[in-house]
Structure formats: C-alpha cells, structure tokens
Amino acid sequence: QYTFPPTYAPTFPPTDTPTTPMPTPALTFPPTNTPTIPMLTLAPTTQCDGVFPNGVEKVLLNEGFESSRGSAWGGATTEEYTPGASGAKALAMKYSVNPGGMLPAIRLSVNHKNKCIRGGMELGVSFKVKLLNMTDNDSPVDCIPGVDCPSGRFRARQPDFCNGWYALPRSIVSWNKYEFNEVSSLFTVPVSCEITNWNWFLLDITMGKGYQADTVKMIVDDVKVMIDEGQYTFPPTYAPTFPPTDTPTTPMPTPALTFPPTNTPTIPMLTLAPTTQCDGVFPNGVEKVLLN
C-alpha cells in the first residue's frame, strides 16, 4: 500500500545575461620565414682527390671475375664458372663443412680506395647471382626474396673506433631461379667509424642462409661498390605471389539446429508474512505500524 512522493524539480531565478557580448580582438602576427634545412650529404674525403677526377663516379670496387677468382672466407672455396652474367666468366662458391652462425662468403677487398670512406657515408652495392643444386646436376635453386636469398655484409675495422660485420639491407627485386638476379642495396657506413684510416674494409657475399655442406653453390658476377652522391635508385618493392587455393564453388550448407520450445515455469514474487509473534500485537486486518 506504500506510494512514493512526487519528484521535486528545483527552480532558480534568471541570471542577468548581457544582450550583446563584448567582442574579442583577433591578434594577427606577421608570417615567419622558416629556414629550409637541406639533407646532409657527406662528401668524399680529401684523400679521394688523387683517386677520382672531378665529376667521375666514385666506384670503389668493380669486379667481373674475367681475370680474378677473388677470395673466400669461413671454409668456402671458389672456382671459375662459365658463362658469366655479362661476360665470359663468373665466380662460383661452395663449401664442404656445415656453416655456423657466420655464413661462408666470397670476400672482396676495396683496396686502397677505402681511404675515401668514412662513417655516415652511403655506398651503393650491387651484384648478380644465382644458386645451383650440386646434388641434382646443378639444377636451379629457389629462395624467398628479402628473406633467404643471397645477400652480403661488410667486414670493417678501424683502430680504436669500429670493428665488426655489418649486414647489407635485404632489398631484392625478385628471384628467377633460372637466371642471374641483381641484388642491389644502399649501405650506410657505421658512424662509429670516425676516421679514414682502415685496417680493412671488405665485402662478403653470402648465400643468404646456411645450406647443408656440398649441396648448393652460388654463382656471382658484376660486383660493384660506389660512393652514392644521390644517383642511387632503390629497386621497386617486390610483393611475393602465391598460387590460388582450390575453393569449392558451392559451399556445403550448414544445417540449422532446431529445438522444441521449453516450458519455463512462472515463479510468483515471494511475499514474506509477518512473524507469528505479531498476532498478539496487531489484530487481523490492522496496519502494522511499528512507530508513530
């Protein structure tokens, strides 16, 4: 029998709002001249002056293996291979011991021209390469571009400054296992190499991953390393394609499960009766007022 009282909504006297607000003056400032900061391009060192005449591309290494077999590192061996990518010869590398963490490589020296190189400088690096399966009559070997295809690294050392193996960025356009493929990347010389006095500056070319011994050989040709002065262009990004999957034209229908309706019992609201001790206090039918 209890009823709630009506809800109270308070009222407030109106506020004195000015009919016309005061205008806010707009501040104007003269335009500022923002200086244009050009990209920093490191020029070759002064030691390059006696090696490269002005305006000539600064090619530090250009090897076609027509009269050289280069050298090898990490248990690898090299041998002459014909035909080359652009000439009569190329260089083949293989190894007879399973490689460890550092992959075997064709190793090429930049020689006296490394005095042109200093930390922070960018070098354009390119070479042509393919892989052959030695256990299957030198059949071509496939790889995943940008993942485990042939790549390279620089072995560089300066006294008291830098000393390590520095990997080339893996940027390869595509891979056609039946042809020579061009690997091209832009390498930044570590800034920790602060001087131009090098113990060595060597280019290693690797298979890109460790194959079992005496199973795969790598054929390399037309190796080039040059100081980039803005002429390097990145290869287009390669997006691998995969064969389509066999999808059935008509999918199998999914049966719809039906269930009989369930009879949900109706449970009445539980109303608690007063205790039996009330019988002697309140006669039947009288409101049970506990405090008045």
Side-chain angles (χ1 to χ4, degrees):
Q1 70 277 22
Y2 177 81
T3 58
F4 287 93
T7 303
Y8 170 71
T11 60
F12 301 94
T15 57
D16 295 330
T17 305
T19 56
T20 305
M22 293 294 291
T24 301
L27 300 177
T28 59
F29 300 95
T32 57
N33 295 322
T34 303
T36 302
I37 301 175
M39 293 293 291
L40 178 62
T41 302
L42 292 176
T45 64
T46 54
Q47 290 91 331
C48 287
D49 297 340
V51 180
F52 301 105
N54 290 334
V56 175
E57 281 193 331
K58 298 173 176 59
V59 178
L60 307 178
L61 175 65
N62 191 10
E63 182 58 74
F65 303 109
E66 296 299 320
S67 59
S68 170
R69 289 179 51 183
S71 62
W73 182 90
T77 60
T78 60
E79 62 187 14
E80 183 182 287
Y81 180 88
T82 57
S86 58
K89 299 177 183 179
L91 189 68
M93 186 202 80
K94 58 184 179 181
Y95 48 83
S96 299
V97 178
N98 289 334
M102 193 65 66
L103 296 179
I106 294 174
R107 173 161 286 187
L108 301 172
S109 175
V110 184
N111 294 325
H112 66 283
K113 296 178 184 178
N114 62 15
K115 62 188 178 183
C116 299
I117 305 168
R118 61 181 174 187
M121 183 175 288
E122 292 186 326
L123 306 179
V125 182
S126 64
F127 56 91
K128 296 175 182 176
V129 60
K130 62 181 177 179
L131 299 172
L132 301 178
N133 187 348
M134 298 166 57
T135 66
D136 187 26
N137 296 319
D138 284 354
S139 60
V141 175
D142 222 338
C143 65
I144 303 174
V147 178
D148 60 2
C149 287
S151 185
R153 61 183 180 244
F154 279 102
R155 177 66 176 105
R157 182 175 182 179
Q158 287 183 348
D160 303 324
F161 284 93
C162 61
N163 182 16
W165 284 264
Y166 305 98
L168 297 179
R170 285 184 180 267
S171 55
I172 185 170
V173 179
S174 63
W175 184 264
N176 180 349
K177 64 180 181 179
Y178 299 102
E179 304 291 341
F180 277 97
N181 298 271
E182 183 170 7
V183 176
S184 175
S185 60
L186 191 64
F187 174 80
T188 302
V189 181
V191 294
S192 59
C193 303
E194 298 179 7
I195 60 177
T196 57
N197 180 21
W198 298 86
N199 295 103
W200 55 68
F201 194 83
L202 310 167
L203 174 64
D204 287 351
I205 300 175
T206 73
M207 293 186 186
K209 78 172 187 178
Y211 295 93
Q212 291 292 316
D214 295 319
T215 59
V216 175
K217 64 182 175 183
M218 177 176 65
I219 315 300
V220 175
D221 201 4
D222 297 339
V223 183
K224 189 174 183 179
V225 178
M226 62 184 298
I227 296 174
D228 179 61
E229 296 178 300
Q231 72 273 36
Y232 181 84
T233 56
F234 284 92
T237 303
Y238 171 74
T241 56
F242 302 94
T245 57
D246 295 329
T247 304
T249 55
T250 304
M252 295 293 291
T254 302
L257 301 178
T258 58
F259 301 93
T262 58
N263 295 322
T264 304
T266 302
I267 302 174
M269 294 295 291
L270 178 62
T271 302
L272 295 176
T275 64
T276 55
Q277 288 89 336
C278 288
D279 298 339
V281 180
F282 301 103
N284 290 336
V286 177
E287 280 191 332
K288 298 174 176 62
V289 179
L290 305 179
L291 176 65
N292 191 1

